[in-house]
């Protein structure tokens, strides 16, 4: 593996770029010289991110307001990016939600919107992007979660979406490797973002103090590390956890002191 590849001239899409991990990832890619199409629903947030970039910076930000539950908007995102940048090298499929906990009270609309973002959005962005990624032996990075690596009783639906993502991504790597495309999954533990606001009325920023859990910029660095790999290598999976993440395992009775 290498971590010193130059990202200047690379052409990227980042979804969920209006906040948290996606915003930090888009910023970092652009700081490293990439041209980045930033996608999310909140256009004013995307414009703020673009405004942070001055003409002296190497990178470039293209604002493409997108709802990833709408396949026409996903197709337009990819087409507009390829049209503006002349191709596509990196896709960071990051937009994701935490659903309200439990199953009993979840409405059908809440379920379908959740699946539309966490599963269908990932699939349709992949479908639209792959023909372009194949042309340049590009990198497709999915943002998964710790919750997709072990049972996560607090939110079976969230966990299910992230398990699906890992199965899809690793199988896709098997299918696309011969085309030169790298497919990666980055699984963060808790990250201090706005996640959780809609689901539980409390974000991770409200819940955790700085330094207690992973910061968005740190998750972005892991994502950008995977995105800069080039043939013949890929980072198939990268888990980024706080160091105290497995503390509870110390108390399991089957592992006596
Ligand atoms: N934070 C954590 O602890 C953590 C841990 C593991 C994995 N993750 C994963 O990391 C990813 C990013 O989460 P985050 O923590 O950065 O959350 P966040 O701060 O809440 O940001 C979520 C992003 O997703 C976008 N989004 C939501 N619905 C969308 C839609 N229909 N169309 C387009 N964009 C949409 C939001 O933009 P708009 O609202 O503007 O559309 C926002 O930019 C998710 O896949 C999440 O599952 C997070």
């Amino acid at each position: 593996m290498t971590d010193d590849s130059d990202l200047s001239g690379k052409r990227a899409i980042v979804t969920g770029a209006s906040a948290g991990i996606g915003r930090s990832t888009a910023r970092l890619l652009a700081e490293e010289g990439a041209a980045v199409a930033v996608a999310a629903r909140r256009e004013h947030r995307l414009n703020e991110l673009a405004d942070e970039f001055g003409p002296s910076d190497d990178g470039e930000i293209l604002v493409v307001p997108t709802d990833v539950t709408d396949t026409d908007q996903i197709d337009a995102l990819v087409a507009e990016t390829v049209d503006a940048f002349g191709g596509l090298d990196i896709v960071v499929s990051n937009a994701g939600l935490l659903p309200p906990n439990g199953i009993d009270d979840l409405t059908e609309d809440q379920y379908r919107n959740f699946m539309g973002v966490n599963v269908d959005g990932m699939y349709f962005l992949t479908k639209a992007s792959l023909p372009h990624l194949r042309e340049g032996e590009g990198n497709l990075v999915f943002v998964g979660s710790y919750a997709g690596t072990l049972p996560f009783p607090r939110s079976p639906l969230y966990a299910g979406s992230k398990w699906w993502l890992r199965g899809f991504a690793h199988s896709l790597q098997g299918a696309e490797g011969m085309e030169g495309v790298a497919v990666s999954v980055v699984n963060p533990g808790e990250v201090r973002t706005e996640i959780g606001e809609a689901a539980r009325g409390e974000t991770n920023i409200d819940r955790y103090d700085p330094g207690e859990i992973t910061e968005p910029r740190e998750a972005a660095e892991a994502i950008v590390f995977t995105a800069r790999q080039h043939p013949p290598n890929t980072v198939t999976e990268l888990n980024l956890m706080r160091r105290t993440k497995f503390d509870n395992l110390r108390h399991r009775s089957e592992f006596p002191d």
Side-chain angles (χ1 to χ4, degrees), residues 28-47:
L28 185 54
L29 286 168
E31 282 171 9
E32 296 215 11
V36 188
V38 290
R41 293 165 303 173
R42 285 172 291 180
E43 187 171 2
H44 68 282
R45 291 275 199 102
L46 301 176
N47 284 328

Side-chain angles (χ1 to χ4, degrees), residues 16 18 21 41-42 66-68 94 144 158 162 189 191 193 204:
S18 62
I21 296 169
R41 293 165 303 173
R42 285 172 291 180
T66 308
D67 184 334
V68 298
N94 163 78
Y158 182 70
K162 296 301 187 180
V191 184
T193 70
N204 274 3

Side-chain angles (χ1 to χ4, degrees), residues 128-239:
S129 304
L130 272 176
H132 305 287
L133 293 174
R134 286 183 196 127
E135 282 176 21
E137 299 187 314
N139 287 61
L140 173 57
V141 185
F142 293 104
V143 179
S145 170
Y146 168 77
T149 65
L150 286 171
F152 189 61
R154 218 183 308 151
S155 185
L157 186 56
Y158 182 70
S161 74
K162 296 301 187 180
W163 278 85
W164 177 87
L165 185 57
R166 288 179 66 226
F168 178 61
H170 295 322
S171 305
L172 191 68
Q173 179 65 85
E176 291 298 325
M178 296 306 287
E179 304 295 330
V181 177
V183 184
S184 308
V185 186
V186 175
N187 299 310
E190 296 90 343
V191 184
R192 239 168 51 87
T193 70
E194 295 166 24
I195 201 166
E197 171 111 72
R200 60 184 185 221
E202 186 188 32
T203 69
N204 274 3
I205 297 169
D206 303 326
R207 273 194 167 184
Y208 298 102
D209 292 328
E212 211 178 333
I213 58 171
T214 303
E215 292 294 329
R217 175 79 175 197
E218 293 161 345
E221 283 167 359
I223 292 165
V224 172
F225 173 76
T226 68
R228 69 166 96 244
Q229 299 304 315
H230 49 75
N233 299 318
T234 180
V235 175
T236 52
E237 189 145 22
L238 191 160
N239 297 329

Side-chain angles (χ1 to χ4, degrees), residues 99-106 153-157:
N101 287 346
I103 289 177
D104 292 343
D105 297 329
L106 197 74
R154 218 183 308 151
S155 185
L157 186 56

